Amino acid sequence: MKIALIGYGKMGQAIDAIATAKGHEIILRVDVGSKHLLEKEHLGQADVAIEFTTPETAYHNILKCFDANVPVVSGTTGWLDKLPEVKALCLEKNQAFIHATNFSIGVNIFFELNKKLAALMAGQPQYNIKMEEIHHTHKKDAPSGTAITLAEQVLAAVPRKTGWVNEESNQPEALPIISKRIDPAPGTHTVTYTSAIDDISITHTAHSREGFAAGAVVAAEWLKGKTGVFTMRDVLNLG
């Protein structure tokens, strides 16, 4: 494939290395100083775009891809208030789009485990629930997009919890997410159910960015030639 990389920070560079090793061609590397490459004449030469930028720029970058008729895989978090609008525009313009808070294959399997455990614990009010996420100090948003996805899955399954908060909380209806920023830490997410008798925890620990980058390349390979709005559950055939 011919791939446009929109955002060339550490994640973009990791994606570059993996995609190139798999035989794909990176035809555009768009960073802060090369935003002119987002114009249709340049971007339109790509088979697919992979977008990892900032909450402030992601929305406009994705629309540029739609305008250039280029399928786009986006992993940027912190801008998801506009995600419903982007999904609607994708369908309206007959484009192709995948957004994930985390492209790691392991994390997406972890999401399925989280939903299953939450459903099992919904009828066990003696257990309180809390979450913790640890990332490197350069991460721009807190809690992480992955943590928010995990929290929303718990909230959907457990009626006694009505919302998450990004702090410790003794409110019984609150789901606390504790965010820690420690170097070097690619990402650790833990969901814990605590009772007076025992604790049950599930944890995903990333050892490097390679899992996230490899998953994004797999998503791009899968998305090429398709139209519509998809998720990593579609890519990995998780049902």
Side-chain angles (χ1 to χ4, degrees), residues 19-121:
T20 301
K22 294 181 78 171
H24 300 303
E25 181 185 359
I26 309 300
I27 65 165
L28 294 178
R29 296 171 177 86
V30 184
D31 211 344
V32 176
S34 56
K35 290 182 179 179
H36 65 282
L37 296 176
L38 287 173
E39 296 307 316
K40 187 174 182 179
E41 61 185 290
H42 303 293
L43 190 56
Q45 299 174 40
D47 295 315
V48 65
I50 302 178
E51 194 270 350
F52 277 82
T53 57
T54 67
E56 296 75 27
T57 59
Y59 172 79
H60 296 289
N61 293 337
I62 293 163
L63 294 194
K64 287 282 190 180
C65 293
F66 291 168
D67 290 342
N69 201 37
V70 175
V72 57
V73 170
S74 174
T76 307
T77 58
W79 65 279
L80 300 187
D81 56 318
K82 293 186 176 178
L83 186 57
E85 181 182 346
V86 166
K87 289 180 176 179
L89 285 169
C90 176
L91 296 174
E92 178 185 320
K93 294 174 178 288
N94 202 34
Q95 297 299 308
F97 176 64
I98 292 176
H99 180 271
T101 55
N102 196 311
F103 281 95
S104 161
I105 292 170
V107 165
N108 280 277
I109 293 171
F110 186 65
F111 286 154
E112 298 303 306
L113 292 173
N114 181 57
K115 288 191 290 186
K116 180 64 174 178
L117 180 57
L120 291 171
M121 300 301 284

Side-chain angles (χ1 to χ4, degrees), residues 129-135 142-152 154-155 163-169 174-181 188-191:
I129 315 168
K130 67 177 182 179
M131 295 175 51
E132 179 182 88
E133 57 100 355
I134 306 170
H135 283 86
S144 68
T146 301
I148 292 172
T149 296
L150 291 165
E152 289 176 344
V154 171
L155 295 173
W164 60 264
V165 293
N166 195 205
E167 60 187 1
E168 294 276 8
S169 175
L175 173 58
I177 305 174
I178 309 306
S179 297
K180 298 179 179 179
R181 297 293 175 259
T188 297
H189 295 85
T190 300
V191 184

Side-chain angles (χ1 to χ4, degrees), residues 181-204:
R181 297 293 175 259
I182 302 168
D183 285 329
T188 297
H189 295 85
T190 300
V191 184
T192 301
Y193 294 79
T194 301
S195 77
I197 297 172
D198 57 12
D199 291 354
I200 301 172
S201 294
I202 56 172
T203 298
H204 179 275

Side-chain angles (χ1 to χ4, degrees), residues 105 108-109 112 218 222 231-239:
I105 292 170
N108 280 277
I109 293 171
E112 298 303 306
V218 168
W222 185 90
T231 69
M232 281 300 284
R233 297 189 79 232
D234 300 308
V235 176
L236 299 176
N237 195 27
L238 294 175

